């Protein structure tokens, strides 16, 4: 407890670290972390290579259990692994060069922007942006006024639309009633048409009968005087014969 109290008492007396020192310490920590990560990856790669070598040796012993492991196998494997390491190192070097070039380009861009920020051009652009902002505020106010007017106009349009909608509903109702009246009239018209067709058929039949009667009348010839006298004589003779027959019947009875 005393030692901790002494340390806590001494710590406020230590001078505070500057931002630059803190940044340097952070960079150093990042470098150490990067180095540790590189060592870890190297150890993993070495372990992987050793595992491959052991598998090759085990495979050779499985095929040839009595023969010793040839040195060429280990030497060739090591040479191949070293070659792969060189290739990976060169690839990383090229990537590092590209990254450094990109960092330098970004640093140059940042430096140009910092220099541009301190120039009068930026001030002019800023004033132009301020003027544009004022114009935008005015335009926004005008747009708000226009929006309010449009909303009022929209309210009037909705009112007119409601009235027109009511009128349309009334018109639709009138059309429905007119349609029902038309249907009734159509049914009545169909009935009258059926009656007219029946009357037309009766007229056709009467016309046919009239034509037949006219034909009979056209064929009829009134009897002449001689024929009438002959018919009268025949009737008188028939009358006398009938009288004789009746008289004989009466006498016989």
């Amino acid at each position: 407890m005393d030692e901790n109290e002494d340390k806590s008492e001494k710590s406020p007396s230590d001078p505070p670290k500057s931002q630059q020192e803190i940044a340097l310490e952070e960079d150093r920590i990042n470098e150490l972390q990067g180095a540790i990560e590189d060592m870890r990856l190297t150890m993993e790669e070495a372990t992987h290579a050793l595992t491959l070598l052991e598998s090759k040796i085990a495979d050779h012993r499985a095929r040839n259990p009595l023969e010793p492991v040839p040195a060429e196998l280990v030497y060739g494997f090591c040479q191949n692994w070293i070659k792969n390491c060189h290739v990976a190192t060169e690839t990383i070097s090229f990537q590092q060069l590209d990254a450094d070039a990109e960092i330098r380009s970004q640093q140059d861009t940042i430096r140009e922007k910092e220099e541009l920020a301190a120039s009068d051009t930026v001030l002019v652009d800023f004033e132009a942006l301020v003027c544009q902002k004022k114009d935008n505020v005015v335009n926004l106010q005008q747009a708000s006024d226009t929006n309010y007017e449009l909303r009022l106009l929209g309210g009037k349009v909705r009112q007119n639309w409601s009235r027109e909608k009511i009128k349309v509903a009334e018109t639709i109702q009138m059309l429905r009633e007119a349609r029902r009246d038309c249907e009734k009239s159509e049914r009545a018209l169909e009935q009258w048409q059926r009656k007219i067709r029946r009357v037309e058929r009766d007229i056709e039949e009467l016309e046919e009968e009239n034509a037949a009667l006219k034909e009979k009348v056209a064929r009829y010839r009134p009897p002449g005087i001689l024929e009438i006298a002959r018919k009268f004589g025949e009737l008188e003779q028939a009358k006398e014969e009938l009288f004789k027959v009746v008289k004989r019947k009466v006498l016989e009875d």
Side-chain angles (χ1 to χ4, degrees):
M1 293 292 292
D2 295 337
E3 292 178 359
N4 293 329
E5 289 177 356
D6 293 338
K7 290 180 180 179
S8 62
E9 289 177 357
K10 290 180 181 179
S11 58
S13 62
D14 295 336
K17 295 181 179 180
S18 62
Q19 295 292 333
Q20 186 176 2
E21 292 177 351
I22 293 172
L24 291 174
E25 289 182 357
E26 290 179 353
D27 293 338
R28 181 60 179 168
I29 291 170
N30 292 329
E31 290 178 358
L32 292 174
Q33 289 178 351
I36 292 170
E37 183 67 19
D38 292 338
M39 291 176 65
R40 186 182 65 80
L41 294 175
T42 303
M43 291 176 66
E44 289 181 357
E45 184 67 24
T47 303
H48 180 66
L50 183 59
T51 303
L52 290 176
L53 180 59
E54 289 177 350
S55 65
K56 286 181 177 294
I57 293 171
D59 184 51
H60 178 77
R61 286 178 177 175
R63 290 197 305 268
N64 302 306
L66 299 178
E67 293 182 3
V69 178
E72 291 81 3
L73 179 64
V74 179
Y75 179 76
F77 179 81
C78 292
Q79 289 294 328
N80 190 18
W81 183 65
I82 292 170
K83 182 179 179 181
N84 292 332
C85 290
H86 282 302
V87 172
T89 303
E90 290 178 357
T91 303
I92 293 172
S93 299
F94 286 122
Q95 292 177 355
Q96 184 66 33
L97 291 174
D98 293 337
D100 293 339
E102 183 67 22
I103 291 171
R104 285 194 298 272
S105 177
Q106 291 180 359
Q107 288 176 351
D108 294 338
T109 304
I110 292 170
R111 192 179 301 107
E112 290 176 358
K113 289 183 178 180
E114 289 177 351
E115 292 175 356
L116 184 62
S119 63
D120 295 335
T121 306
V122 176
L123 296 176
V124 173
D125 293 338
F126 179 74
E127 292 177 356
L129 290 174
V130 171
C131 295
Q132 186 177 1
K133 182 180 179 181
K134 291 180 180 179
D135 294 336
N136 291 334
V137 171
V138 174
N139 294 329
L140 180 61
Q141 184 63 35
Q142 292 177 355
S144 299
D145 296 337
T146 305
N147 187 20
Y148 179 71
E149 293 176 357
L150 290 175
R151 288 172 62 187
L152 292 177
L153 182 61
K156 293 180 181 179
V157 171
R158 282 194 295 272
Q159 291 177 358
N160 294 329
W161 182 76
S162 299
R163 287 194 292 269
E164 293 296 329
K165 187 177 180 181
I166 293 171
K167 290 181 180 179
V168 169
E170 293 176 353
T171 304
I172 291 172
Q173 184 65 28
M174 292 174 63
L175 288 174
R176 289 176 180 173
E177 294 177 356
R179 184 177 297 172
R180 286 195 292 269
D181 294 337
C182 288
E183 290 176 355
K184 292 180 181 178
S185 300
E186 287 177 355
R187 288 194 294 270
L189 180 61
E190 289 178 357
Q191 293 177 359
W192 281 107
Q193 286 177 350
R194 286 196 294 270
K195 290 180 180 179
I196 290 170
R197 285 194 291 270
R198 286 197 298 270
V199 172
E200 287 178 350
R201 287 195 297 270
D202 294 339
I203 291 171
E204 290 177 356
E205 292 176 358
L206 291 173
E207 287 179 351
E208 291 176 357
E209 292 178 358
N210 188 19
L213 291 173
K214 285 181 178 180
E215 186 178 356
K216 289 181 180 180
V217 170
R219 289 197 304 267
Y220 178 73
R221 295 289 182 272
I225 296 173
L226 296 176
E227 188 176 357
I228 292 172
R230 185 176 60 79
K231 289 287 185 184
F232 184 75
E234 291 177 356
L235 289 173
E236 287 292 334
Q237 186 179 357
K239 180 180 177 182
E240 290 177 357
E241 290 178 357
L242 180 62
F243 180 74
K244 290 177 180 180
V245 172
V246 172
K247 184 178 179 180
R248 189 172 54 251
K249 288 288 184 182
V250 171
L251 292 175
E252 289 178 356
D253 294 337

